[in-house]
Amino acid sequence: MQVLVIGAGVVGLAVARAAALAGHDVIVAEKADAIGTGISSRNSEVIHAGMYYPTGSRRAKLCPRGNRMLYDFCETHGVPHRRCGKFIVATNEAEHSRIEAIQAQGRINGVEGLELIGGNAARDLEPELSCIAALVSPDTGIIDGHGYMLALQGDIEAHGGAIAFETPVERLTPTLHGWRVTFGGREPGHLDVDAVVNCAGLSAQTVARAIEGYPLTRIPKQVLAKGNYFAYAGRPVFTRLIYPTPVDGGLGVHVTLDLAGRMRFGPDVEWIDHEGYDVDPSRAASFYARIRTYWPGLPDGSLVPDYAGVRPKLTGPGEPAADFMVDGPANHGMPGIVNLFGIESPGLTSSLPLADDVVALLTA
Ligand SMILES: Cc1cc2nc3c(=O)[nH]c(=O)nc-3n(C[C@H](O)[C@H](O)[C@H](O)COP(=O)(O)OP(=O)(O)OC[C@H]3O[C@@H](n4cnc5c(N)ncnc54)[C@H](O)[C@@H]3O)c2cc1C
């Protein structure tokens, strides 16, 4: 089949790679002039283990599998990464019950190696930490996200696929055997393909609305939640990722490390109406308060506004978190179309098995 993938973020690239490996003729249309300029360049670059997600959800199934597949991929493709491990910390009795529940959910989800340790044991490993207990996740790690996307691009091209940059998809019209894709950009035109996968991230709903005859009732609402990060202007004090217990809309302001060992904090949850990436310095006050619950030694004046990412959510504040939405022909009745909506965290971690599932839908 000739398959067009819309979007060269981590998900679109993983889908295109899986399709190319399965023997399809693949083109990725990307409106920007480079890979990974969207959500995929503005995240925590954490390889999640998968213990948070409710039983039976796509995220519960994909994340633990994606974790294992991603480490294997990194090994075989030379992608920089580190299995640094993570603590989810409890600073009071209520949070202790929460981390016990997370451990139980992790076991159900098939996450291996989860262990509850006491505050003293946690401090032996991370002396700056203040907590009464910690859930240890040894298989959580960090990855060079851009290096991962470059490796996906390499596999796509090695299997005959190609990425067309500066190629915004504007309209999809049904033909006798597939779809006519109309694109704008520097060299506007159209292309006839057998199947289309919409991996347009924050623009997924806009692209779905551009599919002629697509049932509008199958296009979910989009809710945007900005995640702000602050960099730490001192020497890192932790060697593992440190997470508080989750909050509404996110995993809580946590310690993230990059592969150079730098330490930063975030992302928080800021519900927004329009896409935007400025980091309001006044949000630092709430960061100090939240971080000091588990790191009382955080010095005044040490947090510097860094960057922000935007989560493509399907539900808003106070509503239950939505799962990834993967709509194929069985859901919407249009052959040769797969739409992906709401691929927020852990989309990076889940990208490889998610891609396999999507490619299976193309021939189902
Ligand atoms: C703050 C934050 C932190 C996160 N942290 C983690 C983490 O630590 N671990 C993890 O596993 N996940 C994390 N995630 C989730 C992860 O980053 C995303 O799930 C993933 O990057 C989504 O990739 P994507 O390819 O769907 O979207 P994108 O990367 O946004 O790619 C979509 C692409 O489509 C292109 N496009 C849009 N419209 C068109 C069009 N009409 N024509 C052609 N191209 C188009 C865009 O230019 C873009 O390049 C985080 C997300 C956020 C927001």
Side-chain angles (χ1 to χ4, degrees):
M1 285 168 66
Q2 179 145 48
V3 178
L4 182 96
V5 176
I6 304 173
V10 71
V11 176
L13 292 170
V15 168
R17 170 184 178 267
L21 260 59
H24 299 302
D25 201 354
V26 179
I27 296 180
V28 182
E30 168 53 55
K31 70 176 177 187
D33 61 1
I35 59 170
T37 60
I39 309 168
S40 302
S41 63
R42 298 169 164 276
N43 59 33
S44 302
E45 301 190 302
V46 170
I47 302 177
H48 287 294
M51 53 275 201
Y52 297 102
Y53 314 110
T55 311
S57 64
R58 267 182 206 284
R59 296 199 285 179
K61 285 185 215 137
L62 293 173
C63 189
R65 227 170 97 215
N67 173 289
R68 291 185 277 273
M69 288 171 76
L70 193 48
Y71 280 120
D72 288 348
F73 184 96
C74 290
E75 293 293 340
T76 53
H77 290 71
V79 179
H81 66 288
R82 188 148 57 88
R83 204 186 289 251
C84 54
K86 140 174 165 177
F87 285 178
I88 308 176
V89 296
T91 58
N92 56 45
E93 282 309 322
E95 290 178 358
H96 194 276
S97 308
R98 297 279 308 279
I99 61 172
E100 282 176 333
I102 295 170
Q103 181 182 30
Q105 187 63 55
R107 286 202 180 117
I108 296 170
N109 294 355
V111 179
E112 288 164 11
L114 294 177
E115 189 194 353
L116 261 180
I117 59 174
N120 289 336
R123 261 184 307 282
D124 284 346
L125 296 164
E126 296 288 359
E128 291 279 331
L129 196 58
S130 168
C131 64
I132 61 166
L135 178 62
V136 183
S137 167
D139 285 337
T140 303
I142 50 176
I143 182 173
D144 170 357
H146 199 71
Y148 172 45
M149 289 189 278
L150 280 173
L152 292 171
Q153 179 180 3
D155 273 3
I156 294 166
E157 290 168 354
H159 288 80
I163 305 176
F165 292 109
E166 298 181 76
T167 306
V169 170
E170 292 178 345
R171 185 139 196 87
L172 296 167
T173 329
T175 60
L176 215 49
H177 301 292
W179 292 91
R180 170 156 293 193
V181 183
T182 305
F183 48 88
R186 279 198 305 183
E187 292 176 47
H190 57 76
L191 179 72
D192 288 342
V193 296
D194 300 309
V196 179
V197 185
N198 169 8
C199 303
L202 292 164
S203 301
Q205 278 86 341
T206 307
V207 167
R209 278 192 288 272
I211 303 172
E212 198 179 302
Y214 194 80
L216 295 180
T217 49
R218 291 298 314 176
I219 303 178
K221 72 170 176 182
Q222 186 184 59
V223 184
L224 303 179
K226 194 200 279 185
N228 299 281
Y229 292 84
F230 281 77
Y232 176 64
R235 284 170 62 88
V237 299
F238 297 111
T239 58
R240 293 166 186 76
L241 305 170
I242 310 291
Y243 282 57
T245 52
V247 296
D248 188 19
L251 297 181
V253 170
H254 48 261
V255 176
T256 68
L257 302 168
D258 64 22
L259 287 160
R262 283 181 298 252
M263 196 165 85
R264 69 176 104 84
F265 295 91
D268 63 356
V269 179
E270 180 187 354
W271 300 98
I272 52 174
D273 293 327
H274 302 288
E275 201 180 325
Y277 296 96
D278 56 304
V279 178
D280 176 357
S282 73
R283 295 185 80 82
S286 71
F287 271 65
Y288 282 106
R290 277 180 271 176
I291 296 162
R292 282 178 176 148
T293 62
Y294 56 86
W295 182 28
L298 172 67
D300 283 335
S302 58
L303 295 181
V304 184
D306 198 356
Y307 66 96
V310 175
R311 304 172 181 90
K313 285 185 175 291
L314 303 181
T315 52
E319 294 179 294
D323 200 5
F324 294 164
M325 185 171 166
V326 179
D327 256 22
N331 307 101
H332 53 61
M334 309 201 88
I337 294 278
V338 182
N339 280 314
L340 276 68
F341 300 109
I343 313 297
E344 52 154 321
S345 193
L348 165 66
T349 310
S350 308
S351 51
L352 291 172
L354 175 60
D356 288 342
D357 286 0
V358 168
V359 171
L361 288 178
L362 293 177
T363 47

